[in-house]
Amino acid sequence: MTALLPPPRFGGAFRTDVRARAAYAEGAGIYRILPDAVSLPETVADLERLVRWAGELGVPLVTRGAGSAVSGSNVGAGVIVDLARMQPVALDVDPDRRRAVTGASVTYQTLANAARAHGLRLPPDPSSGAFATLGGMVATNAAGARSVKYGPIRPWVRAVELVTADGESCRLERGASAGAAGALALVRFAGQAAPAIARSRGLIDERFPRTRKNTSGFALDAYSASGDLVDLVIGSEGTLGIITEIEWDLIAVPGHIGGMLVQLRDLDALADVVTALGRLEPSAVEFLDRSFLEVLPPAERPAGAAVLLVEFEAEDARQLRGRVGDAVRAVDAWAEDVQTALSEAEFADLWRLRHAASPILAGLPDSRRSLQVIEDGCVPLDRLTAYLRFVRARASDLGLPVVIFGHAGDGHLHVNVLPDVDRQGWEDAVGALMTAVTDEVLRLGGTPAGEHGDGRLRAGLVERLYGSDIMALFALVKAAFDPRGILNPGVILPEEWAPLDQLKAGPHAVPLPPDIAEALRTLERSAGYGQSRIALADRN
Ligand SMILES: Cc1cc2nc3c(=O)[nH]c(=O)nc-3n(C[C@H](O)[C@H](O)[C@H](O)COP(=O)(O)OP(=O)(O)OC[C@H]3O[C@@H](n4cnc5c(N)ncnc54)[C@H](O)[C@@H]3O)c2cc1C
């Protein structure tokens, strides 16, 4: 293939050398795909030029934040668009209006620190917040432990600035009419997609899963409810436009935080315990399965079938004591042991358990890879135990170790599969597990993508979840925003779907310069997604 030439008058870096391409060949998920080029626009005008050029040549663009998304949406053939060098980088907190404006490349943690200085916060806090960019979080509708009380990122986004697939900038703001006189994408949307969606409200209501979280497909349910186009862009994984700036709603940091660690006697009552706790409005109900606890050193390993970490926020110490006391009584019948924490520091000590397994999993030998293929299933709360038991049993039948944890309060489980990649046939076993678990999630009325999106990994499952009529509406949305199909093709809407091809593990992985392959592996093991990939390419 002839190397691509940079777009005319493009002010940023445009690299086609193999080191730069290799540095962006992997994200946090299972894939390794060598892009054709890497671009680092420095201004919105550069970005607009890049997108217009891509449209003329039909070149795919894969927008990139920190590369920490796990569903394969941040890698692909075509040109990677790394927004890390975009200037100026907005980071303004308005304490009086409880609002913030940030550039897309600002990390969650940076905004959290800036907001905290004013006693404010953005409540849905993903555990990747130290490195995940706010643009990436909007594009995936990211969530976190506190989403059980505050929802995912969606309700906290007031407005986004977007470069559309036509290379035009536009602002989408809640409550403001997008207007037929706006950017071409909005005109097309108003003409073709909006009337069809309006006619299909009943169908949308019927077909979207009744789960507390869902990031599969385009959010027609949220858009139908609000009428705000920003709701379609949230969670669209770089397929409808490139976000350059975001306006946020913030709230006050809580006065007091505390909670408890519950060792559950058995799993039968999991849904009942979680439902009972839900009535007390906890700010987190996290679940650590026995498979997770077994990874911990024996001295740190709690007893019981599983552990729940439950957090409460309160205005004062008395209220907190009351809430934790109510929660202890609520779980009493099912608990083997309960430890309580009546201050933020004490609770942080209990919460340490939630992070204790990651370094251990990261240190597994090279032959034992932690793969995310069924990592994001979310089911109605009353089916959580059935789902958990199914995953455990099927993985065991297939000889695949798994580590399970998650956001029990939302009926949402993360499952890391740990195949021995030196074992013959491991890919077939992983494929069989993915098929079986997907069938079960759908049978239980759940979604395979609670908070990580479809990406490339699950694009071929979207039609199974929603049916062909909703797929036709998704296609109308995509055609309005991206008629030439240049923005992240193969993500959400499938092209040739082969979810377990182009893996980063195993003998068929595309070869990379050895030092870059090693650096990417180290980055994965240390969750070092904040590291600049272009700097990694240039370090020798
Ligand atoms: C250790 C670890 C813990 C995690 N914990 C959580 C968690 O608690 N909750 C959670 O929800 N997720 C979690 N994730 C997944 C991941 O961090 C989130 O999906 C995050 O939102 C991705 O942000 P990013 O900047 O890395 O985006 P990337 O991975 O770079 O991109 C993600 C998607 O967004 C698109 N995109 C990125 N920036 C833009 C933009 N400016 N405009 C348009 N599209 C864009 C990309 O094309 C891609 O489709 C975790 C991942 C890891 C590795």
Side-chain angles (χ1 to χ4, degrees):
M1 192 193 96
T2 334
L4 286 168
L5 295 172
R9 293 188 298 118
F10 183 68
F14 189 91
R15 301 271 299 264
T16 53
D17 55 290
V18 74
R19 291 189 63 80
R21 292 163 56 214
Y24 289 84
E26 296 182 5
I30 60 175
Y31 298 110
R32 178 184 286 177
I33 306 174
L34 207 53
D36 297 323
V38 172
S39 63
L40 291 102
E42 291 183 5
T43 61
V44 171
D46 277 343
L47 185 59
E48 290 171 349
R49 275 184 210 113
L50 177 74
V51 176
R52 283 199 292 273
W53 164 89
E56 280 157 23
L57 299 186
V59 174
L61 296 178
V62 179
T63 307
R64 183 79 165 216
S68 71
V70 293
S71 60
S73 56
N74 46 23
V75 287
V79 178
I80 297 283
V81 186
D82 183 345
L83 300 178
R85 290 188 183 164
M86 290 277 287
Q87 295 292 333
V89 184
L91 177 59
D92 301 316
V93 178
D94 179 343
D96 296 332
R97 294 166 69 224
R98 294 190 168 183
R99 298 258 176 94
V101 174
T102 68
S105 63
V106 172
T107 64
Y108 171 85
Q109 194 59 55
T110 307
L111 172 59
N113 294 345
R116 198 166 179 105
H118 300 281
L120 297 172
R121 63 179 166 150
L122 177 61
D125 53 343
S127 43
S128 53
F131 44 81
T133 67
L134 292 164
M137 283 175 56
V138 174
T140 54
N141 190 24
R146 296 197 175 87
S147 293
V148 70
K149 179 164 181 172
Y150 295 105
I153 275 298
R154 177 180 307 287
W156 305 93
V157 178
R158 284 207 69 75
V160 296
E161 302 267 349
L162 191 73
V163 172
T164 69
D166 306 292
E168 294 181 300
S169 288
C170 67
R171 179 179 169 86
L172 300 176
E173 187 172 353
R174 289 201 183 281
S177 153
L184 280 173
L186 309 187
V187 176
R188 284 191 299 264
F189 182 84
Q192 298 156 16
I197 296 171
R199 283 194 302 273
S200 308
R201 277 182 161 227
L203 187 72
I204 292 166
D205 192 43
E206 184 193 313
R207 296 282 167 80
F208 271 65
R210 303 270 184 270
T211 46
R212 290 175 57 94
K213 283 162 135 181
N214 175 32
T215 52
S216 182
F218 298 124
L220 294 178
D221 53 345
Y223 166 72
S224 282
S226 69
D228 293 327
L229 267 179
V230 70
D231 274 324
L232 283 179
V233 172
I234 297 169
S236 64
E237 300 185 66
T239 63
L240 300 184
I242 302 181
I243 299 157
T244 53
E245 202 167 276
I246 307 133
E247 184 173 348
W248 301 95
D249 276 325
L250 306 173
I251 56 167
V253 294
H256 289 255
I257 287 181
M260 60 190 197
L261 187 155
V262 184
Q263 295 174 24
L264 290 177
R265 200 167 294 133
D266 60 54
L267 288 178
D268 288 333
L270 181 60
D272 293 337
V273 185
V274 171
T275 307
L277 286 167
R279 290 190 204 105
L280 304 173
E281 293 185 33
S283 44
V285 185
E286 294 290 282
F287 172 78
L288 309 179
D289 184 50
R290 194 72 232 155
S291 57
F292 181 103
L293 302 175
E294 285 301 325
V295 175
L296 304 176
E300 292 174 37
R301 197 181 293 160
V307 157
L308 289 177
L309 282 165
V310 190
E311 184 192 77
F312 289 96
E313 297 172 349
E315 277 161 28
D316 53 47
R318 195 161 153 262
Q319 190 182 49
L320 182 64
R321 264 199 313 281
R323 290 205 166 144
V324 174
D326 288 347
V328 171
R329 283 186 286 284
V331 301
D332 186 48
W334 302 295
E336 195 159 301
D337 187 53
V338 179
Q339 283 168 265
T340 58
L342 292 174
S343 72
E344 193 164 354
E346 276 175 36
F347 188 65
D349 210 37
L350 296 184
W351 195 262
R352 259 186 331 111
L353 203 60
R354 171 82 164 71
H355 299 295
S358 301
I360 299 169
L361 291 175
L364 289 172
D366 235 17
S367 60
R368 185 67 76 182
R369 294 298 288 258
S370 173
L371 299 185
Q372 292 84 24
V373 287
I374 48 162
E375 87 297 351
D376 206 25
C378 184
V379 297
L381 267 188
D382 58 350
R383 298 172 195 175
L384 186 58
T385 312
Y387 176 53
L388 175 63
R389 286 198 191 289
F390 181 90
V391 174
R392 280 175 162 193
R394 198 72 191 98
S396 162
D397 292 347
L398 289 161
L400 290 168
V402 287
V403 169
I404 306 174
F405 60 103
H407 312 294
D410 283 324
H412 183 199
L413 293 183
H414 294 312
V415 182
N416 282 12
V417 186
L418 303 172
D420 176 350
V421 297
D422 286 343
R423 199 186 87 181
Q424 199 76 17
W426 68 269
E427 291 104 326
D428 293 342
V430 170
L433 183 65
M434 185 177 178
T435 304
V437 170
T438 303
D439 289 349
E440 184 67 1
V441 166
L442 298 180
R443 195 185 69 77
L444 293 171
T447 169
E451 68 182 16
H452 292 162
D454 299 308
R456 295 175 196 289
L457 177 65
R458 287 179 276 267
L461 306 177
V462 179
E463 180 154 4
R464 284 194 61 200
L465 175 61
Y466 291 107
S468 56
D469 298 342
I470 295 288
M471 281 307 273
L473 294 177
F474 289 164
L476 281 178
V477 171
K478 177 72 172 170
F481 276 91
D482 181 18
R484 296 178 200 87
I486 56 165
L487 298 177
N488 236 348
V491 167
I492 300 181
L493 301 183
E495 295 199 315
E496 286 161 18
W497 187 60
L500 298 182
D501 274 4
Q502 308 195 78
L503 298 182
K504 60 166 78 154
H508 306 298
V510 180
L512 302 181
D515 67 308
I516 294 194
E518 186 54 39
L520 291 175
R521 183 79 176 108
T522 305
L523 188 150
E524 179 179 283
R525 285 188 145 140
S526 58
Y529 296 98
Q531 176 173 356
S532 158
R533 305 309 195 280
I534 198 69
L536 195 157
D538 288 342
R539 69 183 179 170
N540 278 346

